[in-house]
Amino acid sequence: MKIATIIFVFLYLVFNTNASPVAKTPTANTKKVCLWDHWVIYIFNHIKDPIHVRVKSEDDDLGDHTLALNQNENFSFCENFLLTTMFYADFKWKGKTALFVLFDKNVWPHCGKGSLKKSRVCLWIVRDDGFYVAGEWAPFPDGWTKMYDWS
Ligand SMILES: *[C@@H]1O[C@H](CO)[C@@H](O)[C@H](O)[C@H]1NC(C)=O
């Protein structure tokens, strides 16, 4: 095979692998093999009313979900070849809304480090005073960084 063919096949496989649909419910301790990191994102509702969440990326629309108090939405994916994977989310709570980037390069530093066996985790909590991120569980507010407000 020509070198160009080999490179083409390699790139084709890499891109195709990463275009696979997002797994919506990560099973604990199941880390997928990725070219770069495997990520798991959790969004927890800490508001006593139900909220609406809709997560999207360029390729995926995870749909409109209602989260009651302490319920979460979670999904996992492989970081893409160019490290440009981006998810954003649209939130609704009574008359308030928020729309922001849930995952991209700027969010990485707030997330967990992961390891050979563990996926990298980003935890979001939704509170009545805004949106907070952390890399591991800790009682609020220790280790949580406020990222956005409701509007
Ligand atoms: C992930 O979300 C599903 C609902 O899509 C839920 O049933 C499950 O409990 C969540 N996982 C964890 C670890 O909370």
Side-chain angles (χ1 to χ4, degrees), residues 59-127:
D59 310 318
D60 294 289
D61 179 345
L62 304 192
D64 189 357
H65 298 283
T66 306
L67 299 179
L69 176 64
N70 291 328
Q71 282 189 331
N72 77 84
E73 170 160 356
N74 49 75
F75 59 98
S76 65
F77 56 90
C78 286
E79 180 67 37
N80 75 19
F81 181 63
L82 299 174
L83 299 172
T84 54
T85 302
M86 193 270 275
F87 284 91
Y88 61 96
D90 195 347
F91 292 87
K92 290 191 179 71
W93 166 43
K94 292 184 172 171
K96 298 186 178 195
T97 61
L99 172 63
F100 59 83
V101 172
L102 200 65
F103 177 86
D104 73 354
K105 271 193 180 64
N106 299 318
V107 182
W108 297 354
H110 299 289
C111 301
K113 297 268 178 287
S115 68
L116 224 51
K117 287 189 184 156
K118 259 177 50 193
S119 307
R120 293 192 69 178
V121 172
C122 308
L123 301 165
W124 284 92
I125 54 175
V126 182
R127 295 170 51 88

